[in-house]
Amino acid sequence: MKKMLKIIGVVLVSIVVLIAAAVVFLLVKNKIDSGKAWLADDYYMAFQSDSALEKKYAGIGTYDVSNTVIKSGDNMIKNIRIWYPAELENKTGQYPMIIVVNGSNTAALNYEAFFKRLASWGFIVVGNDDRQTGTGLSASATLEYMLSLGNDKSSIFYEKISQEDIGIVGYSQGGAGAVRAVTEYENSSQFKTIFTGSAAYPLLAKNMGWEYDVSKITIPYFMTAGTASSDDTGKYSENDFAGVAPLFSLIDNYNEIGGSVFKLRARVSGAEHGEMQMRTDGYMTAWMLYHLQKDEEAGKAFIGENAEILSNVNWQDIEKND
């Protein structure tokens, strides 16, 4: 009997050791994976579109790009990561700026290729390493820090940021954070336009502590989502998860925004939640070019009855008021 108990004891200890080892392995793996790049440098090359403007603006721009990393001293933000046209360092003039708000458990260091591509179109593009961005606080704080650099004579960004041309882009949880960033903070009025990819729908955002009110938005807003089940389960009740960004939520959010605000809602046909960043790159870039650089060609993707997006097979469920 004692021998049997001893054997059982050894087996139990062995199981506990194996479980502990597995937990340690997973923790270490997750730590390593969290610091890896999730996008290839040329990820945009894989994007396909038969629509000329979407294809053009999903690609690389004409500017060479440099970048810098600044330790913020803020435990939430950690590092502020900035990509910008290389000419900025030796040329007078100002550049429009875009703040990017991370999706859940994502940091800017995970998708640096995205920032670099966007900066190649002539933007200062700014991210941080906050992995829980839904309140919009880190986006607001990052904006404030960047504006301080614009007034700092020792910074390469001194008088280089066009404070009249600042946009914000957010994905998933970061979409909720972007909406809050443009509506809930003292510096919210600094933003000129907003784009969201599969922003967490209002009920989900509220349950997660990221409640937002889109009726407060007074700047041009382009809201997008995917049609696949991760964004839209096709079911809705107060007690059931409906997907991250179901169609009814886009319709409701669109209708909540005043008619005097230029607004556009559209879904990417067949896109799962995790594909939204790459699948929306082209029109997100065009939207920012139009609103922050007054690029009339880019505006043809959205403006008027012949807007390219209206006949683009990559997109559906479109409504706009311009």
Side-chain angles (χ1 to χ4, degrees):
M1 184 66 179
K2 289 183 179 180
K3 185 176 180 180
M4 180 62 69
L5 291 174
K6 184 176 181 180
I7 292 172
I8 292 172
V10 170
V11 171
L12 290 175
V13 169
S14 298
I15 291 173
V16 170
V17 170
L18 287 172
I19 292 173
V23 169
V24 170
F25 171 78
L26 289 174
L27 289 174
V28 171
K29 184 178 184 299
N30 286 339
K31 179 68 174 178
I32 293 172
D33 288 346
S34 70
K36 288 182 177 179
W38 295 351
L39 289 176
D41 287 345
D42 62 348
Y43 77 95
Y44 51 85
M45 297 294 290
F47 180 74
Q48 298 295 320
S49 177
D50 293 329
S51 296
L53 295 176
E54 183 181 38
K55 181 65 174 178
K56 174 181 177 178
Y57 295 118
I60 201 82
T62 59
Y63 290 82
D64 291 331
V65 175
S66 295
N67 71 288
T68 187
V69 179
I70 301 172
K71 292 184 178 180
S72 71
D74 184 309
N75 289 332
M76 172 180 60
I77 293 173
K78 298 179 178 66
N79 296 306
I80 294 176
R81 301 176 184 272
I82 312 164
W83 287 258
Y84 56 92
E87 66 176 32
L88 173 151
E89 297 178 13
N90 302 302
K91 187 176 179 181
T92 58
Q94 296 187 327
Y95 298 79
M97 182 169 70
I98 300 172
I99 304 294
V100 180
V101 193
N102 306 319
S104 298
N105 198 34
T106 304
L109 64 89
N110 297 128
Y111 57 113
E112 292 184 325
F114 167 87
F115 290 86
K116 182 178 179 180
R117 188 204 66 80
L118 187 53
S120 76
W121 288 97
F123 299 105
I124 298 169
V125 189
V126 187
N128 60 47
D129 290 342
D130 182 15
R131 295 177 181 273
Q132 299 297 326
T133 60
T135 65
L137 179 59
S138 63
S140 177
T142 298
L143 171 63
E144 199 65 25
Y145 184 79
M146 290 303 301
L147 293 177
S148 74
L149 292 184
N151 295 317
D152 182 353
K153 291 183 178 180
S154 67
S155 171
I156 61 171
F157 300 105
Y158 177 62
E159 295 187 341
K160 299 294 178 66
I161 299 170
S162 176
Q163 296 193 18
E164 302 300 316
D165 297 297
I166 299 174
I168 189 167
V169 173
Y171 298 92
S172 191
Q173 178 183 159
V179 172
R180 288 184 56 84
V182 305
T183 57
E184 301 296 332
Y185 295 91
E186 288 187 10
N187 59 9
S188 291
S189 62
Q190 290 283 162
F191 291 105
K192 185 176 181 179
T193 190
I194 177 174
F195 169 94
T196 59
S198 298
Y201 78 101
L203 180 61
L204 173 60
K206 181 179 180 179
N207 289 340
M208 296 300 292
W210 318 321
E211 185 173 8
Y212 58 79
D213 182 355
V214 293
S215 70
K216 296 179 180 180
I217 291 178
T218 58
I219 56 177
Y221 184 11
F222 184 8
M223 62 185 78
T224 69
T227 63
S229 59
S230 50
D231 262 357
D232 193 343
T233 64
K235 300 177 181 179
Y236 175 68
S237 76
E238 291 295 329
N239 300 313
D240 294 329
F241 177 63
V244 179
L247 177 59
F248 72 80
S249 72
L250 262 69
I251 295 172
D252 289 347
N253 283 347
Y254 181 92
N255 291 337
E256 283 288 319
I257 299 170
S260 63
V261 177
F262 180 19
K263 53 185 178 177
L264 168 61
R265 68 169 174 85
R267 296 205 297 171
V268 184
S269 302
E272 292 286 1
H273 185 72
E275 300 173 313
M276 284 298 294
Q277 191 174 68
M278 186 174 75
R279 295 283 300 274
T280 60
D281 253 3
Y283 284 158
M284 177 276 294
T285 303
W287 181 264
M288 292 295 159
L289 284 166
Y290 177 69
H291 290 286
L292 303 182
Q293 294 189 26
K294 301 177 178 62
D295 187 323
E296 295 298 327
E297 180 186 21
K300 292 177 182 178
F302 319 106
I303 304 299
E305 60 183 18
N306 295 317
E308 183 186 88
I309 194 171
L310 297 175
S311 59
N312 187 337
V313 296
N314 288 341
W315 294 80
Q316 65 182 69
D317 305 310
I318 302 163
E319 185 172 359
K320 65 189 189 74
N321 63 351
D322 193 306

